[in-house]
Amino acid sequence: MDRFLDPELFRLLSEPTRVKLLSCLIKCGRPCSVTEIAECCSIDFSVVSRHLASMAKLGVLDASKEGRTVWYEARTSEIADRFRAIADSVDQWKTQSCCGGAGCDCD
Amino acid sequence: MDRFLDPELFRLLSEPTRVKLLSCLIKCGRPCSVTEIAECCSIDFSVVSRHLASMAKLGVLDASKEGRTVWYEARTSEIADRFRAIADSVDQWKTQSCCGGAGCDCD
DNA sequence: TGCATGCTGACGTCATAATGCAAATATATA
DNA sequence: TATATATTTGCATTATGACGTCAGCATGCA
């Protein structure tokens, strides 16, 4: 389970600004440029650039450069699958037990 | 979807210490006291107290006071369900579009 | 009542990271 | 080549939040 409970992924989604950008991209369902999203969400484009890059690095977004424009697109299926994997792994642990009491080694 | 992409929930899971505590509780599958978990994970009990309280506040844990002891238990099914709901809502947005181009109002 | 136990809350410190501006880089176009 | 456009990067500032210590509060027990 700990393999799926990736703090880095959650850290990305814990920032309202990033979630706003991601939400925008998911809803648009098409590749968007940095400038486009920056204007759409009224956020400084340097901030948007950094956030989108970090999300692409973690596989949440797809990035493709075309001339001087970078197109970002939400990897929607990938995101949904990842959350389902988390749900499944959490469920699996329901039946297991890590400690018999005294000698617990959860860490 | 924005209803499910709750930054607060993700913020909780973005902290390795909190994930460690949650993981411990899920694996144990039974109510544990603050002291018990603090010793099990070798973390200062005031830190544990804070983290568990914040997770209970967001519905990730169940808390029940019994005398001077507070028993925390992971709401495993609730957690799994929440992640599935996120996955489903992300999938639903795949077919929709928030903007026709110029007048995009993603925010 | 006095004391031990279990937990919570306040406080100061520290580390991390988000932000906006400006400069730099890369690419397209005149 | 000169200039405009799209994005990235460096930097200083600011904000957020985690941590440990200690004091305080509630509860149980002698």
Side-chain angles (χ1 to χ4, degrees), chain A residues 1-2 5, chain B residues 18-28:
Chain A
M1 177 184 60
D2 307 283
L5 286 181
Chain B
R18 266 193 300 263
V19 172
K20 188 175 178 181
L21 299 175
L22 176 60
S23 172
C24 175
L25 275 167
I26 292 178
K27 289 175 184 170
C28 282

Side-chain angles (χ1 to χ4, degrees), chain A residues 33-35 45-46 49-50 70:
Chain A
S33 71
V34 173
T35 310
F45 65 90
S46 76
S49 171
R50 263 190 291 257
V70 178

Side-chain angles (χ1 to χ4, degrees), chain B:
Chain B
M1 178 185 58
D2 307 281
R3 185 164 52 96
F4 295 106
L5 284 181
D6 177 17
E8 267 309 297
L9 171 65
F10 295 127
R11 195 181 68 77
L12 288 186
L13 301 173
S14 69
E15 246 289 310
T17 304
R18 266 193 300 263
V19 172
K20 188 175 178 181
L21 299 175
L22 176 60
S23 172
C24 175
L25 275 167
I26 292 178
K27 289 175 184 170
C28 282
R30 58 175 177 83
C32 301
S33 71
V34 174
T35 311
E36 196 173 358
I37 299 184
E39 286 174 355
C40 170
C41 298
S42 307
I43 299 174
D44 188 276
F45 68 93
S46 79
V47 172
V48 172
S49 171
R50 260 190 299 259
H51 283 322
L52 296 186
S54 65
M55 288 195 278
K57 195 175 175 187
L58 246 80
V60 173
L61 304 180
D62 250 336
S64 62
K65 191 162 185 175
E66 191 183 296
R68 56 193 165 188
T69 303
V70 179
W71 298 102
Y72 283 103
E73 185 171 15
R75 301 186 63 190
T76 311
S77 305
E78 157 77 19
I79 297 168
D81 287 350
R82 211 183 282 195
F83 281 117
R84 288 214 179 77
I86 295 170
D88 290 343
S89 66
V90 168
D91 267 337
Q92 281 180 8
W93 278 101
K94 261 199 294 194
T95 51
Q96 302 192 21
S97 176
C98 73
C99 57
C104 179
D105 54 358
C106 290
D107 51 341

Side-chain angles (χ1 to χ4, degrees), chain A residues 3 7 14 17 21 25 28 38 62 65 87 97 107:
Chain A
R3 182 164 54 97
S14 70
T17 304
L21 299 175
L25 275 167
C28 283
D62 250 336
K65 191 163 186 176
S97 177
D107 54 341

Side-chain angles (χ1 to χ4, degrees), chain A residues 10-102:
Chain A
F10 295 129
R11 196 182 67 78
L12 286 187
L13 300 173
S14 70
E15 247 289 313
T17 304
R18 265 193 300 262
V19 173
K20 189 177 179 181
L21 299 175
L22 176 61
S23 172
C24 176
L25 275 167
I26 293 178
K27 289 175 185 170
C28 283
R30 58 173 176 82
C32 301
S33 71
V34 173
T35 310
E36 199 173 359
I37 299 185
E39 285 173 355
C40 171
C41 297
S42 306
I43 300 173
D44 188 273
F45 65 90
S46 76
V47 172
V48 172
S49 171
R50 263 190 291 257
H51 282 322
L52 296 187
S54 67
M55 286 194 279
K57 196 175 175 187
L58 246 80
V60 173
L61 305 180
D62 250 336
S64 62
K65 191 163 186 176
E66 190 182 300
R68 56 192 166 194
T69 303
V70 178
W71 298 102
Y72 284 102
E73 184 169 16
R75 300 186 66 190
T76 312
S77 304
E78 157 75 20
I79 296 169
D81 287 349
R82 212 183 284 195
F83 281 121
R84 287 213 180 78
I86 295 170
D88 290 343
S89 65
V90 168
D91 268 338
Q92 282 180 5
W93 277 100
K94 261 200 296 196
T95 51
Q96 302 193 17
S97 177
C98 74
C99 56

